[in-house]
Amino acid sequence: MPAERPQSPDESGERDLSAILVKIVSREYRDSVSLMQLSAMLGRLPGVEQASAVMATENNLALLAEAGLRVDAKGAHASDLLIVVQGEKSALPAAIEEAMKSLTRQAEDDGGETHAALRPRSIQMALKVAGDANMALISTPGDYAAAEAMKALRLGLNVMLFSNNVSVEEELALKEFARDSDLIVMGPDCGTAIINGTPLAFANVVKRGPVGAVGASGTGLQQVSVLVDRLGSGISQAIGTGGRDLHREIGGISMLKGLKDLAADPATQVVVLISKPPSPDVAERVLAEAAKAGKPVVVVFLGADPASIARKGVHAVKTLEDAARAAVAIVKGEKPRDSYTGVPDLPAGLPKFAESQRYLRGLYSGGTFCYEATLLLGELLAGVHSNTPTRNAHELADVWQSHHHTLVDLGDDVFTRGRPHPMIDYRLRTERIVKEAEDPQTAVILLDVVLGHGSHMDPASEFVPAIHRARAAAAAQGRSVAFVGQICGTAADPQDLARQSRALTEAGMLLTESNAQAVRLAAAIVAAGVQPRSGH
């Protein structure tokens, strides 16, 4: 097969871009996070409009087509790596060359030729190299993920299943097999875990300590683990379950297993359970087991009434920050409070808004952060809209166009087809920051900044120029815009938390300790500046 396939715009799609260049790398596998990072790196190269590195599965080819990257991948197999770059014709060969250099660097970082010679090609081979392993992290394309996960389970391994596109039926079969074998399946679509102090996929570097967590939410686990670390305590284990685990079809199998394991773990003094509201019968099952855990359990089911959750041995809270603070209070022997997140004082030097500036615009990379923000903001302001609507917010008619108070989860599938997740690739969000600032109705722009393994290595390098462009765009129309955000990260994360905080603060972003605090501060700024009209 040809190594590289140039395609003209007429061959490749409807968009009026100069060219597409395709590179097929036979039998070259990379995990999803590495591919997203490679895609983001290529997208930042001069002359490149769009780039994607994926395994050449039918599903990925369809996603590329949906993103406007219709490519000729004839002869490519699902085990082949596909690199696609679109943009100025003269810039594309260099981009492909850079991609190949990056792949070589990755291989060298993994241990070079000596290690490559020992690189296992199957789970069985891996066990011969690491015979004491008890967990497999699976990040294959979804079409093959369930089969690989079952192989691992049959070999006696716990499974972290990063892959998505696994059916509910496959998930149930895997989890029932795991339950009957006293194993656990974290996932599918499990993006965060910290096992024995090692962060996996998208996770922060936190101190080890007495707080264990089980969560159906990746960024929910990140927020709680980061805040526990900042409060001076630490994490024993952070176990992801995948977002569907507490649905009625799955029955909370992995959360129940995680709870059971942490209840028996002598290193864990208090357990935190994190989820959006489960199916009612699943919630009752989980809470009944929590009450029998023999150690305190803090529960945050975002959107659920804490009064309906609390029972003997179970402390229910409303926000992720409340969960972290309650857990640390219990560890210290203190009585946990129902809420720790009040309305913050307004900082000095806020911009004076024009009469037209009535609305808040939240641009999130963390889906749970967006969901929590929508719940909280809907209690504070009228006319909230989101692409992840809650009982307090309306569904956006057009996710690309904000309407009144708007909170957008940019990690939603509609935004990530053919492009990396916004925790890795900031282009979509930085473009939207400037667009929102140009809107004469925008008063406050609300952001989350997620550090840790898997995430962008220098978020400030993307945000600071965007904030400056946004401020200039607003100033050209005689307005100022306020920026509010929170950094989900620790001092031990590879991005240098102190440097990120300093750069964003110097650019004018008002930073808070948590997502809940950021939402309440942003709402208070809007309310202080104007009295927004209700309605939508």
Side-chain angles (χ1 to χ4, degrees):
M1 73 183 66
E4 295 175 9
R5 295 178 178 173
Q7 296 181 353
S8 72
D10 291 341
E11 293 172 329
S12 60
E14 305 92 7
R15 301 178 65 182
D16 185 22
L17 294 173
S18 53
I20 289 178
L21 192 58
V22 179
K23 172 82 173 179
I24 298 170
V25 188
S26 297
R27 298 183 64 78
E28 183 71 28
Y29 175 75
R30 290 290 190 277
D31 66 75
S32 301
V33 174
S34 298
L35 293 178
M36 284 191 282
Q37 291 170 336
L38 177 60
S39 301
M41 181 276 289
L42 293 174
R44 290 193 291 269
L45 294 177
V48 175
E49 297 277 353
Q50 196 171 190
S52 188
V54 296
M55 301 308 295
T57 64
E58 289 186 13
N59 185 56
N60 283 338
L61 291 173
L63 291 174
L64 288 176
E66 284 185 39
L69 291 171
R70 290 187 174 85
V71 299
D72 174 12
K74 191 178 297 180
H77 300 92
S79 58
D80 298 337
L81 173 60
L82 195 65
I83 302 169
V84 185
V85 286
Q86 181 180 38
E88 296 173 14
K89 188 174 182 179
S90 59
L92 301 187
I96 292 291
E97 183 178 351
E98 188 57 39
M100 298 308 296
K101 288 179 181 177
S102 178
L103 290 172
T104 301
R105 285 195 295 271
Q106 285 183 20
E108 290 173 350
D109 290 344
D110 286 343
E113 293 181 1
T114 301
H115 182 83
L118 299 174
R119 186 180 296 164
R121 293 286 183 181
S122 68
I123 297 171
Q124 292 91 334
M125 290 175 64
L127 281 175
K128 290 179 180 176
V129 176
D132 58 347
N134 68 357
M135 194 181 90
L137 197 165
I138 294 174
S139 181
T140 61
D143 293 345
Y144 308 94
E148 292 301 314
M150 186 58 82
K151 287 180 190 174
L153 291 170
R154 292 186 188 282
L155 289 166
L157 300 174
N158 298 287
V159 169
M160 179 176 177
L161 191 49
F162 185 83
S163 310
N164 55 13
N165 295 314
V166 175
S167 71
V168 172
E169 293 77 14
E170 290 171 325
E171 179 177 351
L172 180 60
L174 290 169
K175 290 187 170 180
E176 287 181 334
F177 185 94
R179 178 191 59 199
D180 296 343
S181 307
D182 197 24
L183 299 170
I184 189 170
V185 173
M186 298 187 288
D189 203 14
C190 178
T192 299
I194 303 171
I195 304 299
N196 296 336
T198 301
L200 301 174
F202 293 90
N204 300 90
V205 183
V206 301
K207 293 186 284 290
R208 298 207 68 184
V211 179
V214 190
S217 149
T219 44
L221 274 175
Q222 288 191 263
Q223 177 82 111
V224 169
S225 60
V226 160
L227 293 177
V228 165
D229 179 279
R230 288 186 191 173
L231 292 166
S233 189
I235 295 294
S236 57
Q237 310 286 347
I239 300 169
T241 69
R244 288 190 307 226
D245 187 68
L246 278 80
H247 291 192
R248 176 170 296 172
E249 297 86 348
I250 306 301
I253 294 174
S254 293
M255 181 163 279
L256 289 167
K257 171 62 173 167
L259 173 60
K260 176 186 171 186
D261 288 349
L262 292 178
D265 175 22
T268 300
Q269 295 179 25
V270 56
V271 180
V272 180
L273 304 182
I274 305 162
S275 177
K276 295 175 184 176
S279 165
D281 54 339
V282 177
E284 283 305 312
R285 204 175 312 153
V286 170
L287 294 172
E289 292 302 315
K292 296 187 295 185
K295 57 183 66 172
V297 179
V298 176
V299 177
V300 54
F301 288 162
L302 293 171
D305 179 5
S308 68
I309 296 171
R311 57 203 66 194
K312 188 176 181 181
V314 176
H315 183 77
V317 294
K318 187 175 180 179
T319 70
L320 299 166
E321 179 180 354
D322 289 344
R325 290 185 180 277
V328 174
I330 292 170
V331 167
K332 291 179 177 177
E334 301 169 357
K335 183 179 179 181
R337 289 156 45 185
D338 292 337
S339 176
Y340 295 83
T341 43
V343 177
D345 295 331
L346 290 178
L350 289 172
K352 184 177 181 180
F353 298 133
E355 174 65 22
S356 64
Q357 292 178 274
R358 294 179 170 274
Y359 300 116
L360 178 155
R361 305 287 160 76
L363 306 174
Y364 278 94
S365 61
T368 299
F369 287 143
C370 187
Y371 189 81
E372 183 184 56
T374 304
L375 288 166
L376 295 174
L377 195 65
E379 295 176 353
L380 300 170
L381 299 173
V384 176
H385 293 70
S386 177
N387 61 334
T388 57
T390 66
R391 65 174 185 277
N392 298 334
H394 308 278
E395 184 167 7
L396 268 178
D398 179 356
V399 298
W400 300 97
Q401 182 63 49
S402 295
H403 179 69
H404 290 199
H405 301 297
T406 291
L407 299 167
V408 183
D409 171 17
L410 291 167
D412 189 83
D413 288 349
V414 71
F415 296 112
T416 56
R417 290 190 183 103
R419 72 176 79 220
H421 192 278
M423 285 186 194
I424 293 174
D425 187 342
Y426 276 46
R427 285 176 299 166
L428 190 61
R429 196 151 57 141
T430 54
E431 290 168 4
R432 184 93 175 226
I433 286 172
V434 177
K435 178 183 175 182
E436 298 295 353
E438 290 172 341
D439 183 343
Q441 294 187 319
T442 301
V444 179
I445 295 177
L446 177 61
L447 300 162
D448 64 338
V449 185
V450 182
L451 308 185
H453 290 285
S455 296
H456 193 294
M457 286 305 295
D458 188 5
S461 70
E462 303 275 358
F463 272 143
V464 170
I467 290 172
H468 287 320
R469 291 199 303 274
R471 288 195 186 286
Q477 301 175 36
R479 293 180 283 103
S480 291
V481 176
F483 288 86
V484 177
Q486 65 107 4
I487 300 178
C488 181
T490 72
D493 282 328
Q495 290 88 351
D496 190 342
L497 173 62
R499 184 172 63 82
Q500 298 296 324
S501 300
R502 186 168 56 249
L504 293 171
T505 301
E506 289 175 354
M509 185 185 290
L510 300 169
L511 291 176
T512 65
E513 284 295 309
S514 73
N515 184 53
Q517 289 187 31
V519 172
R520 287 169 172 154
L521 176 59
I525 292 172
V526 171
V530 294
Q531 292 300 317
R533 301 184 183 95
S534 61
H536 50 89

